[in-house]
Amino acid sequence: DAKTTQPTSMDCAEGRAANLPCNHSTISGNEYVYWYRQIHSQGPQYIIHGLKNNETNEMASLIITEDRKSSTLILPHATLRDTAVYYCIVRVGSRLTFGEGTQLTVNP
Amino acid sequence: NAGVTQTPKFQVLKTGQSMTLQCAQDMNHNSMYWYRQDPGMGLRLIYYSASEGTTDKGEVPNGYNVSRLNKREFSLRLESAAPSQTSVYFCATTLDRGYYGYTFGSGTRLTVV
């Protein structure tokens, strides 16, 4: 399975953009990159996913490098409610394999 | 429209007891999954069912059994609970092998004493 590497923790000021990096250097050509977040002890919440093109939805933007070995999740205007653990996942078949994620703390 | 419903929300078991965690979805999704999450760690896949009538092992299947009762329901059974199975259990569903994203339930917090 393709593995992902994320920083353990990051801080961001409220109202600023939060840029969360992820390395997935062993990703295969047909594997998607997914981002989820988990707020406190709730079930993970889907944010966005992509294959090779940049993607944007109402929650975030996903920038994938041309070689697909890394990606960045962008929360354009972080709020206190965005404080959560963010997981970058490479989907293999029908399974999601979670790493330990990045704890994002948005500060007032 | 409830989405993914897990029952019970909390449970305390004694070592050696058995129990079944229930998961039901009303989204007409094909695939269903059971994950566990230990404190400070990411989720680990226990079992999954890609479609009605099929089940497969995930990363950590030992000590668990599953049943895909029908398209809506996927249950996880602990035959003889052990303290190492103390964890939060999440059920997840997806329409078609995950392409459209997964929807998670709110979890079952299980303590085995």
Side-chain angles (χ1 to χ4, degrees):
Chain A
D1 291 0
K3 292 198 170 192
T4 61
T5 305
Q6 299 178 253
T8 303
S9 63
M10 295 182 64
D11 286 288
C12 177
E14 188 177 19
R16 304 297 293 268
N19 297 286
L20 289 85
C22 179
N23 287 321
H24 30 79
S25 58
T26 59
I27 193 170
S28 298
N30 60 349
E31 291 175 333
Y32 284 79
V33 179
Y34 282 76
W35 284 84
Y36 282 76
R37 72 181 183 183
Q38 189 174 25
I39 296 173
H40 195 46
S41 301
Q42 299 174 20
Q45 176 189 23
Y46 167 79
I47 300 173
I48 199 166
H49 74 281
L51 183 62
K52 52 180 133 180
N53 298 320
N54 297 338
E55 303 286 346
T56 295
N57 63 21
E58 65 278 4
M59 289 182 69
S61 294
L62 174 60
I63 309 298
I64 303 175
T65 58
E66 193 169 344
D67 63 8
R68 301 209 328 118
K69 293 185 177 182
S70 65
S71 60
T72 301
L73 178 75
I74 301 172
L75 307 178
H77 305 287
T79 71
L80 299 179
R81 288 182 295 179
D82 292 322
T83 292
V85 177
Y86 287 77
Y87 296 100
C88 168
I89 301 163
V90 174
R91 181 172 65 90
V92 178
S94 61
R95 301 179 298 172
L96 290 181
T97 301
F98 286 78
E100 296 186 2
T102 296
Q103 171 66 57
L104 175 69
T105 302
V106 181
N107 300 305
Chain B
N1 195 357
V4 180
T5 302
Q6 291 185 234
T7 55
K9 293 193 186 305
F10 300 93
Q11 184 71 50
V12 179
L13 287 179
K14 293 183 179 178
T15 298
Q17 286 186 317
S18 62
M19 80 161 293
T20 300
L21 282 65
Q22 307 284 357
C23 176
Q25 51 103 357
D26 61 4
M27 296 177 292
N28 202 33
H29 283 179
N30 294 317
S31 302
M32 299 184 73
Y33 305 79
W34 276 106
Y35 286 87
R36 62 176 286 175
Q37 185 174 33
D38 299 331
M41 297 182 65
L43 282 74
R44 292 183 293 170
L45 182 63
I46 305 171
Y47 270 94
Y48 66 103
S49 171
S51 61
E52 186 179 356
T54 69
T55 61
D56 287 285
K57 295 179 180 179
E59 265 183 278
V60 289
N62 291 344
Y64 305 94
N65 286 302
V66 291
S67 295
R68 183 73 182 267
L69 304 170
N70 47 55
K71 190 170 185 178
R72 290 186 63 247
E73 299 171 291
F74 189 38
S75 63
L76 178 72
R77 183 160 178 84
L78 288 70
E79 290 291 351
S80 178
S84 61
Q85 294 178 303
T86 294
S87 192
V88 180
Y89 292 84
F90 290 101
C91 176
T93 73
T94 187
L95 178 61
D96 182 16
R97 298 173 64 84
Y99 179 77
Y100 298 99
Y102 292 63
T103 302
F104 283 81
S106 57
T108 294
R109 283 146 185 81
L110 175 67
T111 301
V112 183
V113 298

